[in-house]
Amino acid sequence: MGKPSDAQEKLLQVAFDLIWNNSYGAVSVDQICERARVNKGSFYHFFPSKADLAVAAYEEHWREKQPELDRIFSPQVSPLERLERWCQYIYDRQKQKAEKYGHVCGCPYASIGVELATQDEKIRAKAEELVERNIRYVESALTEAQRQGLVSIDDPKVAAERVYAVALGMVLHAKVRNDLGPLRQLQPTIMDLIGAKAVAA
Amino acid sequence: MGKPSDAQEKLLQVAFDLIWNNSYGAVSVDQICERARVNKGSFYHFFPSKADLAVAAYEEHWREKQPELDRIFSPQVSPLERLERWCQYIYDRQKQKAEKYGHVCGCPYASIGVELATQDEKIRAKAEELVERNIRYVESALTEAQRQGLVSIDDPKVAAERVYAVALGMVLHAKVRNDLGPLRQLQPTIMDLIGAKAVAA
DNA sequence: ACCCGACTTGACTGGTCAGTCAAGTGGTTT
DNA sequence: AAACCACTTGACTGACCAGTCAAGTCGGGT
């Protein structure tokens, strides 16, 4: 197969990083190619357009991060502890990015979704899909927590959307303030919201 | 004064609308000028750069919308009803935009803030400022509600940030899904979150 | 040994971008 | 009536944009 290389994978990773740290509109195909050390022609051999690359890059990023979410939401630990771990994961991830780049980078799915929801239907749909997949994790924990009488919620599906909205909102607020402060309220707010009867250490 | 006109005001309004419906990066100075029927030279007579125009446009938009927020949060009505009205206002506004343009447009301040927080400090700071001003309204209602024993919260400042995060998150979710559905949970979620003891009609 | 086709190379296109500029225009001030 | 200056006009610049293309290069299948 000619000259196989890691060009495609490199493009996906570089594109995701650049778009997350900046924005879709502010990152050019030339920039992505340069950073990935790939020629323009190769780019368009793999992807029909910049938008298609973005969709593929975000799907690939999910694929890579999914095992970590599976671990966080492992049925091995109690449902409330899963949520607690998830809050910690969000904080740690934002902190790591903020220290590395000097800016709070926010939720990658939400950022590209908000930027392009009204302009590019393919990207909007992918962002929606990724957000919904995240909500499913929260929902599973809440369903189990409800069964165990650990929380006072009605519909776990609705409660999961509420909980996820808190996370989205606080991460967004942190990005706009460029300050991780608001994220310290994430766990207590969520626990209050679902009426958690006991919070693990 | 030569040929005074409404050019400046027109630019501010057109810029705000275009950026809200699309995004900062997707809207060009040429587009703004064309829609506002203003020449490029006039644009740069009033504003040193596209970013400066955006900052001015968002400040101007706040100035125009502030009386409506003052009305919603009028001390004439009970604190909980103010929050209820505010939720309704958010929903109505999003619905109106969605019907007019076929897309859920989201929160204008949050959208531009998320898009440019890591790239343009002046715009990030303005978005932060506008968000904080909104939070102050919520905080004032919560402070009064607490004094009247209508809610069970600790620090009204913290509670206001929590409440606002729910709003930000749900509006964001609605934009990414291009569906107003999530917003129907806004009021009940907020009332649950602050432990509202009574909800007005 | 040969060819096929996945992949690479880098120059190229036409259009658009933010921002500049020099020459006006006309109301106001003196 | 003359000078001033806020504002207008529209052509212009050079950089950059997404995307194209034709000519390769080389591993694998036959």
Side-chain angles (χ1 to χ4, degrees):
Chain A
M1 293 212 183
K3 244 186 204 163
S5 75
D6 59 350
Q8 186 169 9
E9 199 185 339
K10 209 71 182 287
L11 285 170
L12 293 171
Q13 282 167 2
V14 166
F16 181 85
D17 278 351
L18 283 177
I19 295 171
W20 189 10
N21 294 334
N22 300 276
S23 69
Y24 179 84
V27 172
S28 72
V29 173
D30 288 294
Q31 249 178 291
I32 295 168
C33 289
E34 191 187 341
R35 188 79 71 99
R37 296 180 202 279
V38 167
N39 287 303
K40 204 96 171 271
S42 291
F43 180 106
Y44 284 99
H45 170 73
F46 291 115
F47 307 103
S49 75
K50 182 186 175 187
D52 287 287
L53 163 73
V55 168
Y58 275 69
E59 179 61 35
E60 169 63 14
H61 178 262
W62 170 270
R63 218 185 48 77
E64 281 168 22
K65 287 292 176 190
Q66 193 181 351
E68 198 158 359
L69 272 184
D70 283 334
R71 192 177 50 73
I72 290 165
F73 283 93
S74 163
Q76 290 288 337
V77 302
S78 82
L80 289 185
E81 199 179 332
R82 287 176 223 166
L83 291 175
E84 203 184 308
R85 283 191 191 190
W86 179 60
C87 292
Q88 191 60 47
Y89 165 71
I90 291 172
Y91 183 85
D92 290 344
R93 195 187 187 202
Q94 292 297 325
K95 188 178 179 193
Q96 186 197 331
K97 289 281 290 181
E99 284 171 355
K100 189 167 176 184
Y101 297 102
H103 298 284
V104 175
C105 291
C107 167
Y109 311 143
S111 296
I112 200 174
V114 163
E115 181 184 352
L116 299 173
T118 63
Q119 299 172 61
D120 187 303
E121 175 55 22
K122 271 196 287 189
I123 292 179
R124 187 206 61 74
K126 175 54 70 178
E128 175 183 356
E129 189 187 329
L130 294 169
V131 164
E132 299 307 323
R133 285 186 204 165
N134 266 298
I135 294 177
R136 293 288 80 79
Y137 281 95
V138 176
E139 186 188 336
S140 74
L142 288 176
T143 300
E144 198 169 332
Q146 186 184 41
R147 217 180 310 138
Q148 296 180 17
L150 300 171
V151 293
S152 65
I153 57 174
D154 291 330
D155 182 354
K157 212 175 199 88
V158 170
E161 288 189 8
R162 289 173 166 205
V163 165
Y164 200 77
V166 171
L168 279 176
M170 287 194 175
V171 171
L172 191 161
H173 193 196
K175 181 173 185 181
V176 168
R177 284 182 55 177
N178 193 32
D179 168 17
L180 294 172
L183 288 181
R184 271 181 288 142
Q185 286 295 316
L186 182 53
Q187 188 197 316
T189 305
I190 287 175
M191 292 304 165
D192 279 3
L193 187 60
I194 62 181
K197 271 128 188 159
V199 181
Chain B
M1 294 215 184
K3 244 186 205 163
S5 74
D6 59 351
Q8 185 170 11
E9 199 184 338
K10 210 66 182 290
L11 284 170
L12 293 171
Q13 283 166 1
V14 166
F16 180 86
D17 279 351
L18 283 177
I19 293 171
W20 189 11
N21 295 334
N22 300 275
S23 67
Y24 179 83
V27 171
S28 72
V29 172
D30 288 295
Q31 246 178 293
I32 294 168
C33 289
E34 189 187 342
R35 188 80 70 100
R37 293 180 202 281
V38 168
N39 288 302
K40 204 92 172 275
S42 291
F43 180 105
Y44 284 99
H45 170 72
F46 291 115
F47 307 101
S49 73
K50 183 186 174 187
D52 287 287
L53 164 74
V55 168
Y58 275 69
E59 179 62 35
E60 170 64 14
H61 178 262
W62 170 271
R63 218 185 49 77
E64 280 168 23
K65 287 294 176 189
Q66 193 181 352
E68 198 159 358
L69 272 184
D70 283 334
R71 193 178 49 72
I72 289 165
F73 284 93
S74 163
Q76 290 288 337
V77 301
S78 82
L80 289 184
E81 198 178 333
R82 287 176 224 165
L83 292 174
E84 202 184 310
R85 283 191 192 190
W86 179 59
C87 292
Q88 190 62 47
Y89 165 69
I90 290 172
Y91 183 85
D92 291 344
R93 195 188 188 200
Q94 292 296 326
K95 188 177 181 192
Q96 186 197 332
K97 288 282 290 182
E99 282 170 355
K100 190 167 177 184
Y101 296 102
H103 298 283
V104 176
C105 291
C107 167
Y109 311 143
S111 296
I112 200 174
V114 164
E115 181 183 352
L116 299 173
T118 63
Q119 298 171 63
D120 188 301
E121 174 57 20
K122 271 195 286 191
I123 292 178
R124 187 205 62 74
K126 177 53 71 178
E128 175 182 356
E129 188 186 331
L130 294 168
V131 164
E132 300 307 324
R133 284 185 203 163
N134 266 298
I135 294 178
R136 292 289 81 79
Y137 281 96
V138 175
E139 185 188 337
S140 73
L142 287 176
T143 300
E144 197 168 334
Q146 186 184 41
R147 216 180 309 137
Q148 296 180 18
L150 299 171
V151 293
S152 64
I153 57 175
D154 291 329
D155 183 355
K157 212 173 199 89
V158 170
E161 288 189 7
R162 290 174 165 205
V163 164
Y164 200 76
V166 171
L168 280 176
M170 287 195 177
V171 171
L172 191 161
H173 193 196
K175 182 173 185 182
V176 169
R177 285 182 53 176
N178 194 29
D179 168 17
L180 294 173
L183 287 181
R184 270 181 288 140
Q185 286 296 315
L186 183 54
Q187 188 197 316
T189 304
I190 287 175
M191 292 304 166
D192 279 3
L193 187 60
I194 61 179
K197 270 129 188 158
V199 181

